[in-house]
Structures are given as C-alpha cells and as structure tokens.
Amino acid sequence: MKKPMSRILSAVIASALALPGLAGAAPVKIGFINTITGAEAPIGETMTNGLDLALEDLKKQGLDLKVIRQDDTGKPDKAISAIEQLATGDEVTAVVGPYTSACANAVAKQAEQYGVSEVIPAASKEDITRQGYKWVFRVNAPAHVYARSLIDAALAFGKPKTVAFIYESTDFGSSLSKVGKEYAVSKGLKVVAEEAYQKGSPDYRSTLAKVKGQNPDLVFMVSYVADAILLMRQSRELGLKPQAFLGGGAGFDTSQFEGERDISTNVFSVTQWTPDSRPSAAAFAARYQARFGKRPTYHAACTYTSMMVVGAAVAKGGADRAKVREALATGSWQTIMGEVKFQAYDGFNNQNKVAMPVVQYQGGKSVTVYPPAVAKAKAVYPFPGWK
Amino acid sequence: MPPRALLRAPRGFSAPAFLAYLAVILLVALVPQLSHKPLILHMWIMVFLAIAQGSAWNVVGGYAGQYSVGHAAYFGIGGYITMLLLEQHQVAPWYGIGLAVAGSLILSVIIGSITFRLRGPYFVLASIAMAEIIRLAALHFRDFTRGAEGILLSGIPPLTTPWFTVKFLGKVPFFYATLGLAVIVVSANWLVQHSKLGYTFQAIREDQDAAHSLGINPTLHKNLALMISAAFTASAGGLFALYVRFIDPNIAFGIDVSVQMVLICIIGGIGTILGPVVGSVVLVLLSETLRNPKWLVQAGVMSDESPTVNFIEAHLSNAHVLFYGVLVVVVVLFAPEGFLGLLRGATARLRKRLAARRGPPSRPAAAA
Amino acid sequence: MNVFFQSLLSGVLVGGVYALIGIGLTIIFGVMRVINFAHGDLLMLGMYVTWGLFTLFNIDPYLSLLITAPVLFLWGALLQKVFINRVLDALPQNQILLTIGLGLVMSNAVMLGFTSDYRILTTSYSSSSFRLFGLSVSEPLLFSFLVTVAITGALFWFLQTTDTGQAIRATAQDRDAAQLMGINVKRMSVLAFGLGTALAGIAGALLAPTYYIFPQVGGPFTLKAFVVVVLGGMGSVVGATLGGILIGVTESLSAVYVASGLKELVVYVLFLLILLFRPSGLLGKSRT
C-alpha cells in the first residue's frame, strides 16, 4: 500500500527514472552539512530526521544515493572545511544544508566556486540568495515573508493600531524584527516597543512588564525554540493581554509549544509548512511522529523536501554536477511543501517562493487560519484573555 | 633538522636553530605548489591562524603571566574594524587591518588600565567581563555593527602593486597571508623571550612584587605586553573575518574564542616559543580528525578503506567535542607543561639512556 | 510605577536562584581558590536529574530536591577526589582549563545520552501566579526563593556553629594554617566541592519547572555565578546571597530603564566597578 505523498513523488521520479542507464552505476554522492553538535544541535537533529525519511523514500523509488554527512558545529569556518571535504575530497554531486544562515552563506560562496549545487533547506537570511549565485538554491522562504504574513493576517482579522516587538538577539530574531518593523510602519501601525533580549536568561518579566505598560494591540515575538514557552508563561503570569500574540515561527512552531495548552491557546504563528496543508504533508507528519515520537518541525519538512528535490534532480542528471544544477534550476516539483520551483524575483535568485501560512493554536492543535484560500478554521481574534 | 636545537629553549641567537627555522618556513611555503587540494590548504590556514592567535596570547599570558581569558575582545575588534571599513567605506583590507591594529592598541590600553589593577583569578574574571561587555554592545548597537545579523563580505578588491597583482580568490593568497602573520608572531615571541623587555615580562610573571622592587614598573610592562599581544590578535581576527567572509558578535567576541587561545598555549607548552605552534598543530589536526577523519585520506596519510577512518566516522563524529574535553582534562592532569614538555622529557630520558648505554663501554663487551 | 515595582519584585525573586548558584561557587572558590568553569554544567546535571525523576517516576521537581541534592553532592565529591584534587597546587590557568574540560565532557556526554532536544517540564504551577497589591507574583519563583532563603539560613548555621563548618571556614581563610591546626584539608575540599555541586544541583532543580533544559544550558549561568561571587566577596555565603539578589534586581531594572538587550552588559559594568572600587566585594574580608 502506498501513502499519498509517496505516490505524488514517485510519479515525478518514475518519469525521470524512465531514463535508462542509471541502474547498476555506483550510487551518486550527496553531501549533507548540518549542525550536529553545539547550541543549534536540537534543530539539526530534526533536519537529520527529515533527511533520513527522504532517503528511505528515494530508495523505495529505486534511487540509491550515498549521503556523506558533515557537522559544521554551527560555525562558518567549520562549514567551509566541510564543503571543501565534500566538493573536492568526496566529489559529491550536490550538497544539502547547512542550517544556520552564517554557515549556509559561507558554504554558498564555496559551492559557487567549485560548481556544486547547494540546496539550503531552512536558513532565513535574505542576502544568501541575493548575491546572484548560480549554484545556490533555497527551499524555504527568507525572513521578510514571515513578518509580512503575520502582519497581513492580523490586519485581515481586526484593526490593530500599535505593535510591540520582542525578539532574541540572533541573526534570525534581529532580521525578522527589522523587516517586520518596516512592514508594520508601511501598513500604518505604530511601533510602541522594540525589545531585544539575550537568550539564556530565566527572567523576561521586566521586559514584558514594560511592554505591557505600553498597552500594544499586537505583540510580535521572535524567539528560539524554548524561549517562546518562557515568554508566554511569563506573559500569562503578568496578564499581558494584547489583541493578538504573533509568534514568528521557530520556537512558536514546535510540538512542545503546541503541547503547552495553557499558554499556547489562541497564539498565532507563521510557518514554512503545516501538516494540514495537503494529504502528503499529513502523511509525512504521521510517519515522522510514528518514527521519532514527536511532531515534525518545518525544519524537518524543509530538509525532507530539499533532499527529495535533489533526488529528483539526480534522477534526471545523474552524477553530473552541471546537469543536476540545470535540473534544479529548470524543474518544478510537487512536494509536501506544495510546488517547489527555484525562481528569480525581487533581486532573489534561485529562490523558492513559499507562501507562508499563518496558524493559530486552538484546542491544543495548530490550525491554519490565513490566508483564506488555505484556512482550515476561523481565527479567534481578538485574544479573549487568559484562562 | 636537529630536533634538539628546536626543542631546547635557546638562550640567545643560535645559527643552526635560525637556519632550521628558515628551512621550515621555506618548506611550508612550498606547500601550495605541491598540493592544490583546498581542504588541505584550508587546514593549513586554520593552523596558521591558530599559531598567530596562540603566539599572540603567549606574549601576555605566557611571558608576562597574565592569564587573560578575554582575548576575543581583540580578535573581534580586529575582525570588525577590517570588515566595517571594507564594507561601508571601501577601505582595502591591507589598510583596514592596519587601522584594526591601531584600534586594538587603543582598546588594550583601556582594558589594561582597568584589569591590570587586579591579580590572579580576579584578573581572569575581569578580562572575561570586558570581552562580554564588548560582545553584548556589538549585539545591541546594531546601527553601527549590524548587530546579530553580522557583516557579510561582498568581495575583496585585488591588491595591485607596481610589480604584481594579487586577486583574493581561492586559498593561496590567504595561505601566504596567514603564514606571513604566523611567522611574524612567532618571531616576535623569540624577540620577546630574548630582549630586555621580554626579561621584564618574565620577571613580572615570576614575582610581580620582586620585579617592582627591582625598579620595573609592573603596570607599564604588563600594558606593553598586552598591547603587543592585542595587535597580533587583531591582525589574526582581521584575516579570519576576510577568509570566512562573515563576522557576527558571537563568532568574533564569543568566550570560546578566548578559551581556544589559552588552550593552544597550554596544550603546546605555555611561555615557550614553540609551544603555541605545537599546540595549534595538535588542536587543529585533532579536532578536524575527530570531526572529519576523511581529511587524512585527502592528505594521503590513509586510504579510503582504512578501518581507523571508518571507525572514527561511525562512532566518534558526534562525540568530537567530548573527546576534545577529554583531551583537555588528560593534558592538564598528565602533561601540565603541554606536549612540548612531554617531548622535552622524552628526549631528556632518551639522551640519558643513550648516554648510559655509551657510558660504560666495557659492559656490552663483557656481555658478549 | 507599577512597572517599577513589578520589575523589582521579579528581580528579587530571580536573584534568589542566582544567589543559590553563587553560594555553591563561593564555597568552592573560598576553600580551594579554584575558579570552577564547570559550575553551570553541574547545574545542568541537576536539571537533568530533576527532569528524569519527573518524567520517569512523576516526582514533583521541588520534592525531587531531596534526591537531586545528595546525588549531586556525591558527584561533586567524586569529581574533586579524582580530578580537582590533583591540580590544587597547579598554575591557575591549568585549574581553569581542567574545569573547562570537565564541563565540555559533562555537557557533551549528556548530549550523547539524551540528545540535544530541549526538555520542558510542565507542572500545574509552571505559569501560575497570584496578585498582591496589584503586582503579579509568580508562584514557582516565590517558592524557589523561599527554598533559597531556607537553604542559605541552614548553610550559614552549619558553617558558623558546627565543627565541620568551622573547619571549612578555617580552610577557606588560610589553607596552610588550617592544615597546621590539624584540620583535614583534603577532606574539607571534598566536602566543599560536594556542597557546591549540590547547591548548583538544587538551583537546577528549582529552575526546572519554569525554565527549559538542554545540554548547553549551563554556560550563561557559570558567568553569572562568577559575578555573584565577586560581588558578594569570596567565600562569603551571605555576600553571595546579597550579590545574587543585587544582580537579579539590576538585570530586571536595567531591562526596563536601559534596554532589554543591555541588561547583562549593565551587570558586567557593575561587576567591574565593584572589582575596582570595592575589591573585597560587598561583604568580603581578605582577598589575598
């Protein structure tokens, strides 16, 4: 029995595999640069899981790939060393990864130089795909899409006048809040507070109390994995009650956050991918849950998608780097993230256009509420208050 | 190359040691002609940068005995000044690094005037606090530093001289730039060890109060040592940023940068000329071997099917930081004077044994 | 005004936890003059023990203190006997490196054993609060503050009145003199490291219900503990308590009146000022 997702993908790949001559050859080598140790390792692990599931599916479809894994420890100098090993030592055909923006960008430069396709699953820094690189592809949406989707959603649901930003002092938090602020101002919202914080502090109460004092209509938070839970717990303690809590992906998009019903209910978040978006996505989520005992994050889904796309390109181009690049640049694929197609637009190059859905946590589950075309439920707006 | 000449702490200029030093530099300089493998060149560059950082720290930490764990401040300021000048004001990096060095000198005077009032553990903690203050400020004042987003390098202009033009593409220019820096810093260590200035540093290290009573101004000389150290550290930071083409506050000012510099010296041998060199080679090669054992295949040391490579890849690649930690513990407990100390001990024992064997010539004859 | 008092209150309460971490470090530092860079990692171990007891046996995090503290005490004593003891007379930089190495080993071993996933302990009181004079008081935070006060009091009593406590204090004041007076200095060191580790573990357990747990969680706490110890004065339990609360309040108020992103920076500046102008700390006596 086949699952719907693999049916869609196998259709794509089967057509590509119609080319004879691939069977019997040595497996094509693909590099995977990821953060396995260090502070970003929790995300790296979900990405490894996503990749492993993709490899199983590709194998089922008759595509035998040899994946060579490298740990970048979240540091760009290690990432350079990894891409060099992969590009010139192992002579891989293409590379998936790395996770962090700093590493992905360092690798991009080298990938361009060696002529190896790099498919980036989840790094959000805008500039990476704005440097005119030919060999660098990005599956996920860059930072500005997060901010726009959330603010558009809030404006569609109600009439907020003011917004407060609380974000962690990291590349992701800082760039997201910056583009968010610009967009909010352009939409006529007044920014009443802008608070950066260092992750690793157990107490954000004073920051939240200050924000509460400004009485904002929207509270836009960008935070890493577990700080999201901390921020919302302390918001509840203090009784912070805006019209809406907007969570900028990442920490607001984890199974743990979803599980914290006391604090997650009615919070909005934005994501690269939702399990309820299409049957193949739901099947992927179920399979992931069964295998790893937790809900997949979008990082896992993006990595899965990246690997499937690379697999499809290899099925078309074999081990030839130029042919695989050509296949990536010109192809389009139906995946668990919808259609993936690398395009040039607004100064971006080889950038997949992802319309990021906005979700709301309702009854302990994340439900897509915006844009209307893909919404599965009506948004609860304004925030009804804490239980 | 006589190993003894290199291993023995020389008391002054010795022609054989100097010739051996030159020969080693020349041999290493030939590497890019022999191997074009980028990974191998990358690892050399990492080793050279580590040597430059470790030897720079050695001046103030090893010779003057001030165990700063905040040298990331100078490393980062070097990287930031170079990158900001290049990206925002199109100042070419060879001038940029010069200004970065100037900046680090000013910074070292400020930090020194605060931290050198303290001694021992208090000095260590104050040096950490200074580096952290700069890191947090770099994160916060994003109009000036671009905060956590960091600075991406768009390109390095070619260096044009009347005789030649260097394009900063690929590894080779960085290979020679970092090699040059490493040679300068190691030579500076030699000068420090053998100059009058260096003797005052060492006097302060051995007994600050005694040095003071001998008419050495400890504050002045500690500051001088710190300035020398900071200038070289900043140059390494500038080259690192240009090479990696990206810098952010955590990469530049993170506490692990400071710790790494101390580690290099202790693992190699603190307060010696060759210590930081040995420490850099050991540390860079070991952490790379544990993270990516396949570089050995590229270097031609081992074959692709080698069981060692496969073993490390299968079992240790997720645990490379753990092994790094174990190495640190083992070195501190069993080789507190570093690898150089071990080597010295081993050669001393070997010499003794050889001498003993040669000593009474009658014994082997009698045995026969 | 409300914002001011609210920040002051949460600063004091959080400061209690900082104090507990600092007290552990100050005892270790006082008795052995070793800067323990692995202190945050010991706290992390305390968190994992608490988490394990909670998920496996459903033991309440606060109740699990009774298990976490002795377990960590033994672990600390073992670390002292096997590792730290060998470098007591070594150069300070070697002591620092040894504890850095031990910290790396602990955090990475935990990572290999339990993966680097974030663990969240959700108890019924994780985000509950009550209102007092218009301010919201976090229940778990208040409780952990009270535990801290109780432990500090007990510890103070132990160090002041019992023979062992006095021996520990004597060792902290002058190691050689204590030895001459017939105090078993080695045993005191083992005790002190065990005690310090247990206190770090307790702090971890107290943080667990409101914070999150992952192998690298310790780093920022190590630095904070250094600041607490120096502020309070080396080896001074009461000083560390005050230092902890002072830092909690400074962070909290500077988040409001300076900038959230600069609250740690303000703490370090305060730290340097104290080092320069009152080098013995708030309550320290000698610092040779």
Side-chain angles (χ1 to χ4, degrees), chain C residues 211-280:
Chain C
Y211 202 51
Y212 47 85
I213 303 164
F214 67 107
Q216 280 86 18
V217 71
F221 290 103
T222 306
L223 288 182
K224 221 157 261 175
F226 290 155
V227 179
V228 171
V229 167
V230 173
L231 278 188
M234 289 300 170
S236 163
V237 172
V238 181
T241 314
L242 288 182
I245 291 171
L246 182 65
I247 287 180
V249 171
T250 309
E251 276 194 358
S252 211
L253 291 182
S254 48
V256 176
Y257 297 105
V258 185
S260 300
L262 289 179
K263 66 178 186 181
E264 282 90 354
L265 189 146
V266 174
V267 167
Y268 285 120
V269 170
L270 176 75
F271 169 71
L272 284 176
L273 288 177
I274 297 250
L275 268 182
L276 291 178
F277 296 109
R278 202 178 150 73
S280 55

Side-chain angles (χ1 to χ4, degrees), chain B:
Chain B
M1 182 177 71
R4 258 202 291 159
L6 276 173
L7 292 174
R8 191 185 57 219
R11 283 201 184 74
F13 181 80
S14 112
F18 181 68
L19 287 176
Y21 181 50
L22 281 187
V24 170
I25 295 170
L26 277 176
L27 271 179
V28 173
L30 285 175
V31 165
Q33 314 302 322
L34 304 172
S35 166
H36 296 283
K37 288 196 172 132
L39 180 65
I40 304 299
L41 292 183
H42 169 80
M43 287 181 60
W44 279 103
I45 294 171
M46 286 295 138
V47 170
F48 295 150
L49 279 173
I51 292 175
Q53 288 179 59
S55 300
W57 185 87
N58 200 31
V59 173
V60 70
Y63 290 113
Q66 306 300 313
Y67 313 115
S68 154
V69 190
H71 259 51
Y74 313 111
F75 184 79
I77 209 88
Y80 261 96
I81 292 183
T82 311
M83 292 286 267
L84 281 172
L85 285 173
L86 180 55
E87 274 298 296
Q88 295 186 342
H89 305 286
Q90 286 76 46
V91 177
W94 35 98
Y95 304 117
I97 290 184
L99 290 169
V101 167
S104 75
L105 288 176
I106 296 170
L107 183 70
S108 71
V109 171
I110 297 170
I111 293 184
S113 66
I114 296 171
T115 57
F116 282 138
R117 293 160 183 238
L118 305 160
R119 289 197 200 178
Y122 297 88
F123 171 78
V124 172
L125 294 177
S127 67
I128 296 177
M130 288 305 307
E132 279 292 291
I133 286 176
I134 297 175
R135 183 180 72 87
L136 292 163
L139 278 170
H140 183 77
F141 297 103
R142 55 183 189 172
D143 294 337
F144 183 56
T145 61
R146 299 195 200 168
E149 286 168 58
I151 303 168
L152 266 180
L153 187 59
S154 43
I156 305 174
L159 170 60
T160 328
T161 67
W163 307 281
F164 58 88
T165 304
V166 184
K167 283 191 188 144
F168 286 87
L169 292 171
K171 310 266 168 216
V172 177
F174 284 103
F175 180 93
Y176 287 112
T178 51
L179 169 65
L181 181 65
V183 168
I184 293 172
V185 188
V186 172
S187 309
N189 267 256
W190 190 90
L191 286 174
V192 164
Q193 185 160 325
H194 297 100
S195 65
K196 189 157 176 281
L197 187 68
Y199 292 144
T200 59
F201 293 170
Q202 291 167 60
I204 292 170
R205 175 185 67 194
E206 296 309 327
D207 189 335
Q208 182 172 328
D209 299 319
H212 196 182
S213 63
L214 286 175
I216 296 170
N217 178 346
T219 315
L220 174 73
H221 285 94
K222 283 195 276 189
N223 269 307
L224 281 175
L226 184 64
M227 284 168 79
I228 298 171
S229 181
F232 289 132
T233 311
S235 317
L239 282 179
F240 174 84
L242 292 172
Y243 177 62
V244 175
R245 308 177 75 93
F246 176 76
I247 195 163
D248 73 21
N250 293 327
I251 292 170
F253 297 111
I255 189 167
D256 42 339
V257 176
S258 306
V259 170
Q260 167 101 352
M261 295 170 83
V262 187
L263 265 181
I264 287 170
C265 291
I266 300 212
I267 286 186
I270 196 166
T272 59
I273 296 167
L274 280 178
V277 179
V278 174
S280 302
V281 172
V282 170
L283 217 58
V284 172
L285 294 197
L286 194 93
S287 68
E288 185 67 12
T289 305
L290 288 169
R291 197 191 64 77
N292 169 33
K294 278 186 296 186
W295 82 270
L296 294 165
V297 178
Q298 280 213 50
V301 180
M302 288 187 182
S303 81
D304 210 358
E305 272 78 49
S306 151
T308 322
V309 169
N310 290 332
F311 176 81
I312 296 178
E313 217 189 347
H315 300 285
L316 304 185
S317 53
N318 282 8
H320 59 95
V321 191
L322 180 67
F323 277 81
Y324 190 85
V326 172
L327 172 83
V328 173
V329 172
V330 168
V331 166
V332 172
L333 289 184
F334 300 107
E337 283 172 42
F339 271 71
L340 208 61
L342 278 186
L343 275 176
R344 261 192 209 137
T347 46
R349 251 173 283 138
L350 194 69
R351 223 178 301 154
K352 214 180 273 172
R353 205 172 299 163
L354 285 177
R357 205 174 289 170
R358 250 182 266 133
S362 56
R363 210 196 292 157

